[in-house]
């Protein structure tokens, strides 16, 4: 059971880290090339479609599986492995805190600005740089969590 939980922790965290990295290195740079109205419209549509069932399962698994892997007692687990799993879990939790405290409020503000008559340039200005900053932080955190969980498997 412990091996399965650790494998699920690594798998879900790896999927999520990959998703974050693709946004950081591909999607956001591509969207940055759009004009203000196109950028705002594209981000609104992305924010409507991303938080669906499959994404939410991975999003929750990133915390649930490392937590379960840490809490399930294992005979012969080294102290190093235990601390690596815990550190991976902490990275995932911090990632989610940045998401919930930074990116989601910006996404909500972007959605709320629709139909208000506010210029796309103003909406983009209030959103893009801050969202990208939070996204960089959460990408680093979840990528580190993924590496720590892989290290736990190898220990």
């Amino acid at each position: 059971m412990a091996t399965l939980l650790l494998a699920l922790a690594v798998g879900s965290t790896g999927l999520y880290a990959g998703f974050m990295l693709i946004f950081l290195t591909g999607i956001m740079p591509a969207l940055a090339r759009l004009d203000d109205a196109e950028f705002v419209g594209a981000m609104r549509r992305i924010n409507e479609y991303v938080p669906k069932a499959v994404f939410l399962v991975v999003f929750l698994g990133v915390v649930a599986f490392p937590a379960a892997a840490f809490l399930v007692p294992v005979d012969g687990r080294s102290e190093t492995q235990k601390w690596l799993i815990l550190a991976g879990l902490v990275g995932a939790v911090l990632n989610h805190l940045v998401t919930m405290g930074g990116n989601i409020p910006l996404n909500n503000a972007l959605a709320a600005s629709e139909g208000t008559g506010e210029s796309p340039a103003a909406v983009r200005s209030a959103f893009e740089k801050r969202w990208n900053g939070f996204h960089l932080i959460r990408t680093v955190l979840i990528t580190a969590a993924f590496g720590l969980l892989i290290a736990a498997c190898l220990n």
Side-chain angles (χ1 to χ4, degrees):
M1 178 60 99
T3 301
L4 174 62
L5 289 171
L6 186 53
L8 289 169
V10 169
S12 62
T13 305
L15 286 170
Y16 193 63
F19 177 78
M20 294 284 111
L21 190 61
I22 291 299
F23 247 88
L24 181 71
T25 62
I27 294 171
M28 293 310 292
L31 293 179
R33 299 182 72 172
L34 300 176
D35 69 37
D36 294 336
E38 291 170 329
F39 174 87
V40 169
M43 282 305 299
R44 284 181 180 141
R45 299 304 77 84
I46 289 169
N47 291 334
E48 290 170 5
Y49 286 96
V50 167
K52 301 294 183 191
V54 172
F55 174 80
L56 292 175
V57 167
V58 173
F59 184 78
L60 296 174
V62 164
V63 171
F65 291 130
F70 178 74
L71 294 173
V72 168
V74 178
D75 290 334
R77 176 182 281 169
S78 72
E79 283 295 308
T80 301
Q81 185 183 44
K82 181 175 87 171
W83 288 110
L84 287 167
I85 294 169
L86 181 60
L89 173 60
V90 168
V93 168
L94 291 172
N95 165 279
H96 280 26
L97 291 174
V98 171
T99 298
M100 292 183 287
N103 296 90
I104 290 175
L106 289 169
N107 291 345
N108 292 342
L110 184 70
S113 70
E114 193 164 21
T116 63
E118 191 173 1
S119 77
V123 171
R124 183 178 190 167
S125 178
F127 177 85
E128 186 177 22
K129 186 175 181 179
R130 292 178 61 213
W131 193 94
N132 283 333
F134 286 126
H135 186 71
L136 174 62
I137 293 165
R138 67 185 181 162
T139 301
V140 168
L141 288 166
I142 202 64
T143 302
F146 178 55
L148 289 162
L149 291 169
I150 289 172
C153 289
L154 300 174
N155 191 296

